[in-house]
Amino acid sequence: MMKKILSLFWTFFKIGAFTFGGGYAMIALLENEFVEKKKWITKNEFLDMVAIAESTPGPVAVNSATYIGYKTAGFKGAAVSTLAVCIPSFAVIFCISLFFEQFLKLTYVSYAFRGIQVCVIYLILSAGLKMLKNIKKTAFNIVILLSVIAAMVSCSVFSVSISSVCYILICGVLGTAAFFLKKLKKGCD
Amino acid sequence: MIYIKLFFSFLMIGALSFGGGYGMVSLVQETVLSNGWLSESEFMNFIAVSESTPGPLAINMATFIGSTQGGILGSLFATTGVVLPSFIIILLISAVLKNLLKYSAVNAFLSGVRPCVVGMILATASVMALSSLLGFVDLNTAAEPDIESVIIFAALWCIHIIFKKVKKKTPSPILMIILSAALGIIFGTV
């Protein structure tokens, strides 16, 4: 058991330290490590995990660490894996935070960051477009998507602030309502 | 108390960030701006730092804000806050609610959240583009387009399109950050 926990710690530490650019890059890495090499979880369990990690809130890396940790070694496994996956980010970012402000004061760095800020817009936009491509183009999805964009952009233009929490909850409730309406309609036919 | 505020702000972000990666970008943005923890431009700088370092954006953001607002303890509180909801929800699912995702009501709720998150990401990018590229903040101020930024943005999209045509995949974020930094330095010195 102890050996398994140590191995969980080390594997998730590596995953936390070497996955750049978000959770999806690490799914393949996790599968290779836990399904093919160690055989601690089955292919089906892994697919379940991906579905769960993607539909529950929070980073995919943390969700899968907790899930795989629990499946392999219970609560202790879950706690150790989650901690291990967070430590590298925490350490790196904490160090950066100590000198970031001074760093930005250097002339060339400040020039560079003017360009980088433009890149951030590009990165967010291209991430959004990629997700847009993968979403099913049903009438419901398109209406929700366009209304959210229209609402958020106009709120910003008119300097009104509505929390993102509201959008998420309202759309969730609309999704639930649409589902039950459909069911009701089927019942009537 | 700053520690408690950091903990609960990031707990909320952790509990509501669906869709991974940039799913939480608008929520984090409004949290840090409304608390005065970062300015809009500092927020964008930090997204770039987070993309160039390993680990999920949510954890990086929590650690950074925590550290700048409350030192090491602050970053521990914020990071714990952002991770806790995932940890608890996944534990519940794997131990007790094995079939949570098989309940149709849960799926119905998520079917509304999914397009919403995509819309939120696209809207955030559009608002940032309006203010940083076109200098358009709200109706009370006149737009002042920033030509250099527009050129950098256009250049990045050209590279994106070329990469997709030739290599059939999108260019890596780090490559694009390095390129935009180089362009920023060129425009700054010339």
Side-chain angles (χ1 to χ4, degrees):
Chain A
M1 195 62 165
M2 200 55 214
K3 219 181 139 201
K4 262 193 174 175
I5 289 184
L6 275 177
S7 165
L8 275 173
F9 182 89
W10 181 232
T11 313
F12 277 106
F13 185 84
K14 276 190 296 183
I15 284 171
F18 295 110
T19 37
F20 288 83
Y24 297 98
M26 54 168 277
I27 299 244
L29 211 73
L30 283 173
E31 188 178 6
N32 181 37
E33 197 72 26
F34 289 102
V35 181
E36 274 152 35
K37 268 203 217 145
K38 297 202 167 81
K39 300 198 189 337
W40 284 355
I41 54 175
T42 64
K43 178 91 190 163
N44 275 337
E45 273 179 323
F46 187 79
L47 290 177
D48 277 349
M49 183 214 78
V50 175
I52 291 171
E54 283 177 355
S55 20
T56 49
V60 177
V62 176
N63 292 347
S64 27
T66 310
Y67 190 88
I68 294 178
Y70 186 83
K71 288 279 164 204
T72 342
F75 179 81
K76 262 191 212 156
V80 165
S81 312
T82 310
L83 189 67
V85 87
C86 297
I87 290 177
S89 305
F90 186 84
V92 170
I93 298 292
F94 184 76
C95 294
I96 289 178
S97 75
L98 297 179
F99 65 84
F100 191 53
E101 224 167 294
Q102 277 79 17
F103 180 64
L104 278 181
K105 284 193 188 122
L106 303 172
T107 319
Y108 283 100
V109 174
S110 70
Y111 290 155
F113 268 91
R114 277 202 59 200
I116 289 173
Q117 290 194 351
V118 178
C119 187
V120 168
I121 302 175
Y122 156 82
L123 289 173
I124 298 178
L125 192 62
S126 69
L129 291 176
K130 208 181 213 172
M131 288 171 88
L132 181 66
K133 223 172 161 184
N134 293 331
I135 210 169
K136 281 197 196 105
K137 307 285 179 303
T138 59
F140 176 80
N141 282 352
I142 294 171
V143 170
I144 293 264
L145 189 106
L146 291 178
S147 331
V148 168
I149 296 178
M152 279 185 84
V153 174
S154 27
C155 276
S156 150
V157 168
F158 292 104
S159 324
V160 182
S161 65
I162 298 180
S163 166
S164 305
V165 177
C166 296
Y167 292 108
I168 292 176
L169 293 180
I170 291 172
C171 294
V173 170
L174 286 177
T176 318
F179 171 79
F180 282 110
L181 275 179
K182 228 188 257 166
K183 222 174 169 185
L184 212 65
K185 222 172 162 188
K186 251 185 209 158
C188 292
D189 287 341
Chain B
M1 226 337 231
I2 184 70
Y3 300 128
I4 297 181
K5 193 160 192 197
L6 282 168
F7 178 79
F8 282 105
S9 301
F10 279 97
L11 190 76
M12 176 93 132
I13 290 169
L16 287 168
S17 57
F18 288 91
Y22 287 116
M24 36 79 84
V25 74
S26 60
L27 191 56
V28 177
Q29 188 186 29
E30 65 196 32
T31 311
V32 300
L33 293 184
S34 67
N35 283 303
W37 288 338
L38 290 181
S39 70
E40 170 106 32
S41 114
E42 287 170 330
F43 176 73
M44 288 170 78
N45 288 345
F46 187 73
I47 291 183
V49 172
S50 182
E51 276 283 353
S52 345
T53 52
L57 183 62
I59 294 181
N60 292 350
M61 195 55 94
T63 307
F64 185 78
I65 306 277
S67 163
T68 50
Q69 300 303 315
I72 179 110
L73 259 183
S75 58
L76 280 172
F77 271 94
T79 311
T80 311
V82 89
V83 172
L84 212 53
S86 300
F87 186 70
I88 293 172
I89 292 171
I90 298 290
L91 267 189
L92 282 177
I93 290 181
S94 39
V96 200
L97 303 165
K98 287 197 179 67
N99 298 319
L100 185 73
L101 288 182
K102 299 200 173 96
Y103 291 121
S104 35
V106 175
N107 270 318
F109 186 85
L110 288 174
S111 73
V113 171
R114 261 180 227 118
C116 173
V117 169
V118 181
M120 284 175 14
I121 296 174
L122 291 172
T124 306
S126 314
V127 171
M128 283 179 170
L130 278 178
S131 75
S132 302
L133 303 181
L134 304 180
F136 181 84
V137 183
D138 56 35
L139 290 179
N140 303 320
T141 41
E144 275 176 64
D146 179 353
I147 307 291
E148 289 172 4
S149 297
V150 173
I151 295 174
I152 296 176
F153 192 71
L156 293 177
W157 272 108
C158 289
I159 294 163
H160 179 92
I161 291 165
I162 294 169
F163 250 77
K164 275 199 126 172
K165 277 257 155 62
V166 179
K167 294 208 166 175
K168 307 277 175 228
K169 60 171 189 181
T170 47
S172 95
I174 296 188
L175 172 76
M176 297 303 256
I177 290 175
I178 293 172
L179 272 171
S180 61
L183 287 172
I185 292 174
I186 292 171
F187 278 125
T189 20
V190 174

